[in-house]
Amino acid sequence: MGLGLLEAHECCADLDGVEDADFAEAYRMVGEPGEGAEVFSLTRESGLPAGEYGRRFVATGAER
């Protein structure tokens, strides 16, 4: 498990009512980050179960 996923699991475990969907998207940055480079985390809130949310909004089957 990568460091980012481990941090996400730990963060969710510390929050009441938060479920880790065990889903991650990643990219590769070549070289050292410099001015204008951005790395971010995205948190979403939904009443849907994690798996259903992923199927409906993230991995819909229409990806290229």
Side-chain angles (χ1 to χ4, degrees):
M1 180 180 309
L3 181 58
L5 287 177
L6 180 59
E7 289 173 340
H9 287 294
E10 290 174 352
C11 180
C12 288
D14 290 341
L15 300 172
D16 291 333
V18 173
E19 177 185 358
D20 184 351
D22 203 26
F23 176 84
E25 294 180 293
Y27 66 94
R28 179 179 178 193
M29 180 181 284
V30 178
E32 293 293 319
E35 185 175 336
E38 182 178 352
V39 177
F40 66 95
S41 296
L42 179 61
T43 304
R44 295 180 175 148
E45 185 173 330
S46 173
L48 296 172
E52 177 63 23
Y53 182 91
R55 285 187 295 277
R56 187 175 298 182
F57 297 111
V58 183
T60 65
E63 297 83 11
R64 293 187 202 184

